[in-house]
Amino acid sequence: MAANPELIEGLKVRRERPRVESFAKLDKAAITKRIKEFYQDDNQNRTDEIDARLQRYAKYRMWTEPKDWPWEDSTNFANPDMMTASMRLQDTLHNAVMSSRPAVMAKALKKHDSEKTEKVDHLLDYQIFGEQPGEEIVGNLAHDFVNEGFFTAYVPWVKETRQVVDVMVLGQLLEGVSPVEQFVKYLEGVFPKSELIPSKEGWDFEIREEKKKHRASFFTRPDGDVEVEIGRDAIRFEGPRVIPKDVQDVLHPARCENLQIPGPSNPMGASHVILRDFPSIDEITRLSKGDHPFYDMVNKEDLDKLGVKRMDESYTERALQKDIMQGVSDQRDKPKSAESHKQLTRLMVFDCYDIDGDGVDEDVIWWMILETETLLRARYLTQMFPSNPPIRPLAEGHLFPVPGRRYSIGLLEMMEGVHDLQKQFFDQGGDAGTIANAPFGFYRATSNMRPEVIRLWPGEMYPLNDPKNDVHFPQLGNQNQSFTFNMVALLQQMEERLTTIGELQLGRVPHGKASALRTVSGMQTVLSQGDARPERVLRRFFIGLTQIWKICHTLNQAFLPKNKQYMIGGY
């Protein structure tokens, strides 16, 4: 059925309608209160988990706590077993991705699209490894995958512009011709379809090109030549951007299995997901200004509040703990620092919320500054990330998944118990060796031995009337350290079986196995025993990578500029 023409003729429709009007009826105070409650509850629910991960990370980095027992400066061994096993597994995953490009291959669902797969492969490979530091990103994902047990990647479409100034020398002005006419002629050649608006003096111009604005300023040099400065917005980055997110910066309900939208097909999904980052005041201000600001729900009063607040203490407290362990100090948030460089907490919230009042929740995204409780932006999920079926732009891979929970088991958690026992026996063995070399003793109070600290020195003798009876050094058991060595060897065997990383995987022949490795068939037989777990770990890592590639391909279908060109170099 067609629309009633009489109704259409009577309408007076304006020429513009900003997107922000679709959310004009939102109760901002209720939304910000809802987000803050989500944030506080999720933070409180995982406090013990985050603290335990921080302690495991300290053991991985070999950051030992100060130790004053059984005496000051007693043995405090930094056991490198966690770092050794973790680095090897990270290198294995990283090399598996980088050894074959493209790392992930497209597969057409329809027969007539099969010819496009090669172009899609090269495009995604260039976007991930050419336009952005893909090799570094894969390394960060492997780091979280191994150490934390899972990685999280946020994949948005980013179009970033920065103000740049081009300077060119034009030569000397012509005699008898107005400088303004020469400036206009030059600018018309550079911007042929633009409107030029000169200043009163005629040395500065505003250039309006469709929806863009530039500026041009002319100056004379000491040698008489004229130079021009053209200020314009240049695209710094345009495309899908893979952003690895730290485990502390992704908040969600405790009893969820993944970050996607919950429903009958995904019963263990997350009803909400909060991504936390820490932008500077300059970044927030930059995104809130212009003809088409990204943060379109902010006014001048909201921007003025930014410099008053300081960063949320729930994050800085744990960050300070890590700084203390590492021996560094962050002074950026001090009162004397540059105002525009101060950082605040920005929350990006993927939520299910009933916007139109029909009783059914819609998939929406909120942006909010936590400290000032300022709502920056609101959008439907598919407005920002078009896809069918709708998905959140969050990819994740799990090392050893735990059913019903998103927090998986990482390599550091697997090794922590054995690591603690190894450190305990190493410290005990070192302290026992110290006592064996410099034992404590007793002397008879009525002897002529003076009550003073005696420093041992080779060849030194101390005069006593009856040395055998005046001084006594008690004999301590296990001075030959055999118990310590046996326990450490036993724990190392347990650790090798747990991580499947032993002498053979480190490139050495195991003790007592030389005869078994003298033939090719014997070598293959032994190597095949450790293939099951590494193969499955590789598959799980690549499952997470395929999610990233899928999101990038979906974003390309919606936002990729027409006739995008790139050059493939090398192999």
Side-chain angles (χ1 to χ4, degrees):
M1 296 177 64
N4 190 338
E6 295 180 358
L7 295 177
I8 296 177
E9 291 178 359
L11 293 177
K12 294 182 179 179
V13 182
R14 51 182 173 159
R15 306 292 297 183
E16 294 183 356
R17 187 191 182 194
R19 172 67 68 180
V20 70
E21 291 188 9
S22 61
F23 298 93
K25 297 181 181 179
L26 280 179
D27 187 350
K28 294 184 179 180
I31 297 298
T32 55
K33 180 181 178 182
R34 172 189 177 91
I35 295 173
K36 192 169 183 179
E37 288 177 353
F38 283 161
Y39 178 78
Q40 292 175 344
D41 291 343
D42 295 344
N43 236 349
Q44 186 174 3
N45 292 339
R46 63 175 193 163
T47 299
D48 295 339
E49 175 74 20
I50 294 299
D51 290 341
R53 290 178 181 273
L54 180 61
Q55 293 301 319
R56 285 195 288 268
Y57 182 77
K59 296 172 184 177
Y60 161 74
R61 290 289 300 271
M62 296 185 290
W63 295 336
T64 57
E65 297 181 4
K67 187 178 177 183
D68 56 2
W69 187 90
W71 57 79
E72 293 184 2
D73 296 328
S74 58
T75 304
N76 194 5
F77 177 64
N79 193 357
D81 60 335
M82 281 186 169
M83 181 171 286
T84 302
S86 175
M87 289 296 184
R88 188 183 187 282
L89 185 52
Q90 289 182 48
D91 294 342
T92 301
L93 297 174
H94 189 273
N95 292 337
V97 176
M98 301 305 301
S99 61
S100 177
R101 299 268 299 274
V104 177
M105 307 290 288
K107 185 176 182 180
L109 299 179
K110 299 179 181 179
K111 186 176 181 180
H112 63 271
D113 290 334
S114 58
E115 298 179 355
K116 303 177 183 178
T117 56
E118 186 176 359
K119 291 183 179 180
V120 172
D121 290 340
H122 290 310
L123 171 62
L124 293 174
D125 186 79
Y126 173 75
Q127 287 179 322
I128 293 177
F129 293 102
E131 292 184 336
Q132 54 188 311
E135 190 168 348
E136 180 181 339
I137 291 172
V138 172
N140 293 336
L141 295 178
H143 174 276
D144 291 344
F145 182 78
V146 173
N147 293 343
E148 303 293 352
F150 62 96
F151 71 76
T152 307
Y154 168 50
V155 190
W157 183 273
V158 176
K159 184 176 181 180
E160 182 181 358
T161 59
R162 300 289 292 188
Q163 181 77 16
V164 298
V165 178
D166 296 329
V167 179
M168 289 163 284
V169 180
L170 306 182
Q172 297 187 357
L173 295 174
L174 300 176
E175 296 292 339
V177 182
S178 171
V180 178
E181 295 180 6
Q182 299 182 50
F183 299 157
V184 170
K185 186 175 181 180
Y186 170 78
L187 293 176
E188 286 178 345
V190 179
F191 304 98
K193 298 181 180 180
S194 302
E195 179 184 1
L196 305 177
I197 303 176
S199 63
K200 293 182 179 180
E201 293 81 9
W203 287 83
D204 299 305
F205 288 81
E206 181 182 340
I207 305 167
R208 297 180 180 178
E209 183 181 15
E210 295 180 353
K211 296 183 179 181
K212 300 179 181 179
K213 290 183 179 180
H214 314 294
R215 66 170 181 84
S217 300
F218 294 85
F219 303 93
T220 54
R221 300 173 60 178
D223 58 1
D225 290 343
V226 175
E227 65 181 14
V228 57
E229 288 184 358
I230 299 178
R232 56 185 177 83
D233 289 333
I235 296 178
R236 183 183 180 186
F237 185 91
E238 184 175 13
R241 182 66 166 90
V242 182
I243 304 176
K245 300 295 292 186
D246 187 82
V247 62
Q248 295 189 54
D249 296 330
V250 181
L251 295 89
H252 50 77
R255 295 173 181 172
C256 72
E257 199 172 69
N258 57 72
L259 301 179
Q260 292 304 320
I261 304 167
S265 62
N266 184 30
M268 295 299 293
S271 58
H272 68 271
V273 178
I274 302 176
L275 302 184
R276 179 177 64 178
D277 62 351
F278 306 94
S280 64
I281 294 179
D282 175 70
E283 178 182 340
I284 301 171
T285 305
R286 186 187 301 273
L287 294 173
S288 304
K289 293 186 176 182
D291 296 334
H292 303 282
F294 184 78
Y295 296 146
D296 49 15
M297 303 182 76
V298 185
N299 53 37
K300 186 178 183 303
E301 182 180 353
D302 295 329
L303 294 176
D304 293 339
K305 293 180 182 178
L306 299 180
V308 180
K309 299 290 184 177
R310 301 186 63 172
M311 189 186 294
D312 177 43
E313 294 182 357
S314 64
Y315 173 80
T316 55
E317 181 178 353
R318 291 187 178 88
L320 183 61
Q321 292 178 2
K322 185 177 286 189
D323 291 341
I324 293 174
M325 293 178 184
Q326 190 173 1
V328 299
S329 177
D330 187 2
Q331 302 291 332
R332 288 179 298 174
D333 201 37
K334 300 301 180 182
K336 294 182 180 180
S337 62
E339 184 73 21
S340 62
H341 293 183
K342 288 183 179 179
Q343 292 179 302
L344 296 174
T345 306
R346 176 174 56 195
L347 305 180
M348 182 182 183
V349 187
F350 297 87
D351 194 7
C352 298
Y353 183 80
D354 183 13
I355 289 182
D356 51 13
D358 62 353
V360 179
D361 288 349
E362 288 83 29
D363 300 314
V364 296
I365 311 176
W366 320 111
W367 286 263
M368 171 184 150
I369 296 298
L370 177 63
E371 289 80 4
T372 60
E373 299 185 17
T374 302
L375 191 64
L376 303 173
R377 181 180 173 90
R379 287 293 185 274
Y380 290 102
L381 173 65
T382 50
Q383 287 178 347
M384 296 297 299
F385 305 98
S387 62
N388 188 18
I391 60 172
R392 292 168 178 164
L394 302 171
E396 47 190 335
H398 297 265
L399 179 61
F400 298 112
V402 177
R405 293 291 185 271
R406 181 171 179 268
Y407 288 138
S408 304
I409 301 174
L411 187 68
L412 304 187
E413 184 178 353
M414 292 169 54
M415 299 179 62
E416 185 175 19
V418 179
H419 167 91
D420 292 343
L421 274 177
Q422 284 189 9
K423 174 174 171 52
Q424 176 183 339
F425 284 114
F426 273 120
D427 288 350
Q428 290 177 353
D431 292 339
T434 301
I435 292 179
N437 293 328
F440 62 90
F442 307 94
Y443 65 91
R444 189 158 52 93
T446 57
S447 67
N448 64 338
M449 187 171 183
R450 295 186 296 273
E452 61 182 357
V453 177
I454 302 174
R455 300 297 181 185
L456 296 180
W457 195 261
E460 180 181 0
M461 292 188 293
Y462 198 91
L464 292 174
N465 293 333
D466 190 359
K468 292 183 179 180
N469 297 319
D470 288 346
V471 178
H472 172 66
F473 293 100
Q475 296 295 317
L476 302 178
N478 191 37
Q479 289 189 353
N480 60 358
Q481 299 294 301
S482 59
F483 173 77
T484 300
F485 294 145
N486 292 336
M487 288 302 299
V488 169
L490 178 62
L491 291 173
Q492 287 177 344
Q493 291 179 10
M494 294 174 59
E495 198 171 66
E496 289 178 6
R497 291 170 182 162
L498 180 68
T499 61
T500 66
I501 299 176
E503 298 288 340
L504 190 63
Q505 286 72 30
L506 295 175
R508 296 191 296 268
V509 177
H511 298 295
K513 302 295 189 298
S515 59
L517 300 176
R518 286 177 180 171
T519 63
V520 175
S521 60
M523 175 73 80
Q524 292 177 345
T525 302
V526 176
L527 287 175
S528 64
Q529 300 301 314
D531 284 345
R533 184 183 297 175
E535 179 69 20
R536 195 175 185 191
V537 167
L538 278 173
R539 291 181 63 85
R540 286 172 175 162
F541 187 67
F542 272 88
I543 286 174
L545 293 184
T546 55
Q547 295 180 25
I548 295 176
W549 262 252
K550 179 181 178 181
I551 296 173
C552 292
H553 178 61
T554 303
L555 293 174
N556 282 335
Q557 291 177 309
F559 302 115
L560 185 69
K562 294 183 179 180
N563 301 321
K564 179 181 175 66
Q565 296 182 356
Y566 56 93
M567 183 172 62
I568 301 175
Y571 239 148

